[in-house]
């Protein structure tokens, strides 16, 4: 038996712990049943439970419940489906919630050393003080190194936010060398700070979701709030420099359709926008390749976020499969 949802086959037996992401009670031909979406570190899947105790289970199960499931892989509507034979609440301490969440490639220690490396590269005293005041706050640092970069698309795993930030910063550092007007310290600092609002925008409760603040304000506004508050505690921090850092955060999505409050107006903000877009799309496609390649199809399913299919055959004979 397996609990790997990436490789589930029709008729394959499934046994393991999962988090309930969605649950509804439904009735068909007079019989009550449960329609669920459950997930673990390998992914998520829809399923149904037709047991006689479906109504009673619905009273004790809710979004975020950790459950133990025995079931069987099926196909429904061209998608993998889970026919659940048994389901119960997990006992306290039977499984740690972190075990059920997808994880990144690197440990927190490895990620933190890279963050420190970029902070130490900053020669501008104000920008270094600003980055230090934010990243060396222990509560923030722990969240930054743990949180995902997004709910579902790119970096949707523990440590995803730090990985995304470090890749964007690396791209910015390299690109900055090509353009003489570029202020390297401003660009590196902006890259490190551009997504810090995600530690307040997102939440971890058995799966990744948005916090109330996140839905109401969004991570760019939340990030600006943290930067402005931190700068206010640095005596003499230049107002114009703060404005430029804030501008980079508010504009890093490029335009209003993508969620930017204003379009980038400096060379540093323009580079940051494209570096962020590059990594978010490339990392998202990497996830699609990893997920879809085992299915043996020539193209992925249609990716609505990108408005295209992804060609898979070119990756089939390499080390990616």
């Amino acid at each position: 038996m397996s609990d790997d949802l990436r490789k589930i086959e029709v008729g394959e037996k499934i046994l393991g712990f999962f988090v309930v992401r969605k649950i509804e009670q439904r009735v068909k031909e007079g019989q009550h049943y449960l329609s669920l979406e459950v997930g673990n570190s390998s992914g998520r899947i829809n399923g149904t439970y037709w047991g006689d105790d479906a109504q009673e289970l619905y009273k004790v199960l809710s979004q975020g419940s950790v459950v133990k499931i025995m079931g069987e892989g099926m196909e429904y509507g061209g998608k993998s489906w889970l026919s659940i034979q048994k389901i119960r609440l997990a006992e306290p301490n039977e499984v740690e919630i972190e075990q059920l969440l997808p994880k990144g490639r690197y440990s927190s220690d490895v990620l933190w050393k890279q963050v420190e490396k970029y902070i130490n590269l900053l020669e501008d005293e104000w920008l270094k003080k600003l980055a230090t005041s934010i990243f060396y706050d222990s509560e923030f640092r722990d969240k930054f190194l743990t949180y995902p970069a997004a709910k579902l698309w790119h970096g949707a795993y523990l440590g995803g936010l730090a990985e995304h930030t470090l890749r964007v910063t690396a791209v910015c550092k390299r690109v900055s060398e090509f353009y003489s007007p570029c202020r390297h310290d401003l660009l590196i600092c902006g890259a490190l700070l551009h997504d810090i609002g995600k530690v307040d925008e997102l939440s971890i409760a058995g799966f990744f979701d948005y916090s109330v603040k996140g839905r109401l304000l969004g991570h760019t506004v939340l990030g600006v709030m943290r930067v402005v508050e931190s700068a206010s505690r640095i005596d003499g921090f230049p107002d114009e420099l703060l404005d430029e850092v804030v501008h980079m955060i508010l504009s890093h999505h490029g335009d209003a359709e993508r969620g930017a409050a204003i379009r980038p107006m400096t060379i540093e903000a323009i580079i940051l926008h494209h570096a962020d877009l590059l990594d978010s799309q490339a990392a998202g496609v990497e996830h699609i390749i990893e997920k879809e390649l085992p299915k043996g199809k020539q193209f992925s399913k249609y990716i609505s976020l990108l408005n295209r299919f992804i060609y898979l055959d070119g990756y089939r004979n390499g080390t990616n499969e």
Side-chain angles (χ1 to χ4, degrees):
M1 292 189 181
S2 170
D3 64 353
D4 190 340
L5 301 179
R6 294 168 297 185
K7 302 177 181 178
I8 186 171
E9 301 285 346
V10 174
E12 181 181 0
K13 300 297 182 183
I14 298 294
L15 178 65
F17 292 97
F18 300 85
V19 176
V20 176
R21 299 174 58 92
K22 298 176 184 177
I23 182 169
E24 293 180 7
Q25 182 181 201
R26 298 179 180 177
V27 181
K28 185 174 183 180
E29 297 177 357
Q31 183 175 355
H32 291 264
Y33 72 98
L34 300 180
S35 173
L36 305 99
E37 182 186 88
V38 299
N40 63 11
S41 60
S42 66
R44 55 198 170 102
I45 193 170
N46 290 314
T48 48
Y49 175 73
W50 290 84
D52 293 336
D53 59 346
Q55 285 181 282
E56 294 303 314
L57 276 171
Y58 186 69
K59 296 176 183 177
V60 299
L61 300 181
S62 60
Q63 187 182 57
S65 293
V66 179
V67 295
K68 188 173 185 180
I69 286 176
M70 184 173 75
E72 183 177 324
M74 299 181 66
E75 186 174 301
Y76 180 76
K79 297 181 179 180
S80 295
W81 198 267
L82 184 59
S83 173
I84 301 170
Q85 279 99 50
K86 294 183 180 180
I87 179 171
R88 66 166 174 83
L89 276 172
E91 299 291 338
N93 303 319
E94 195 171 11
V95 62
E96 296 291 334
I97 196 68
E98 288 78 12
Q99 295 176 242
L100 303 179
L101 294 169
K103 299 176 180 61
R105 299 180 178 93
Y106 308 105
S107 69
S108 293
D109 289 343
V110 170
L111 295 171
W112 178 242
K113 286 178 182 177
Q114 291 298 306
V115 173
E116 284 191 309
K117 181 190 78 171
Y118 284 118
I119 292 176
N120 290 331
L121 286 177
L122 298 174
E123 296 179 357
D124 182 284
E125 63 169 317
W126 299 112
L127 294 174
K128 190 165 188 174
K129 284 181 180 179
L130 179 62
T132 299
S133 69
I134 292 173
F135 282 98
Y136 281 84
D137 176 270
S138 59
E139 182 180 355
F140 171 81
R141 181 177 67 239
D142 290 345
K143 287 185 176 181
F144 179 80
L145 297 173
T146 303
Y147 271 50
K151 178 182 175 181
L152 294 174
W153 178 230
H154 72 97
Y157 49 79
L158 295 174
L161 174 57
E163 285 191 26
H164 165 68
T165 299
L166 289 167
R167 287 195 300 264
V168 170
T169 305
V171 171
C172 286
K173 180 179 180 298
R174 184 71 180 97
V175 172
S176 71
E177 299 170 6
F178 300 133
Y179 306 102
S180 57
C182 183
R183 292 161 290 178
H184 305 267
D185 280 10
L186 178 60
L187 180 55
I188 290 173
C189 185
L192 288 173
L193 299 177
H194 81 282
D195 266 352
I196 60 171
K198 289 189 175 181
V199 304
D200 300 306
E201 179 186 47
L202 299 169
S203 66
I204 301 176
F207 55 91
F208 306 132
D209 205 348
Y210 292 99
S211 66
V212 174
K213 273 188 176 183
R215 289 198 182 278
L216 290 175
L217 303 178
H219 72 274
T220 56
V221 171
L222 290 167
V224 166
M225 290 169 62
R226 188 178 288 271
V227 165
V228 170
E229 193 277 331
S230 296
S232 71
R233 290 186 276 107
I234 302 172
D235 188 39
F237 196 95
D239 289 341
E240 289 186 3
L241 183 60
L242 178 59
D243 288 343
E244 291 215 53
V245 174
V246 167
H247 173 71
M248 294 176 72
I249 296 172
L250 291 177
S251 67
H252 78 264
H253 283 173
D255 54 48
E257 290 182 358
R258 293 188 176 92
I262 194 165
R263 299 182 75 179
M265 297 182 189
T266 65
I267 194 167
E268 296 82 12
I270 290 170
I271 292 172
L272 174 59
H273 159 59
H274 287 287
D276 178 65
L277 183 63
L278 167 65
D279 185 68
S280 62
Q281 291 198 351
V285 171
E286 180 184 37
H287 172 69
I288 294 298
I289 293 170
E290 292 172 349
K291 182 180 178 181
E292 299 278 328
L293 201 62
K295 299 178 182 179
K297 296 181 179 180
Q298 192 173 39
F299 285 88
S300 73
K301 64 182 180 181
Y302 187 75
I303 310 301
S304 57
L305 279 171
L306 299 177
N307 296 318
R308 72 198 75 177
F309 300 92
I310 300 300
Y311 180 63
L312 300 172
D313 269 0
Y315 308 98
R316 198 166 303 285
N317 297 321
T319 57
N320 297 295
E321 188 169 16

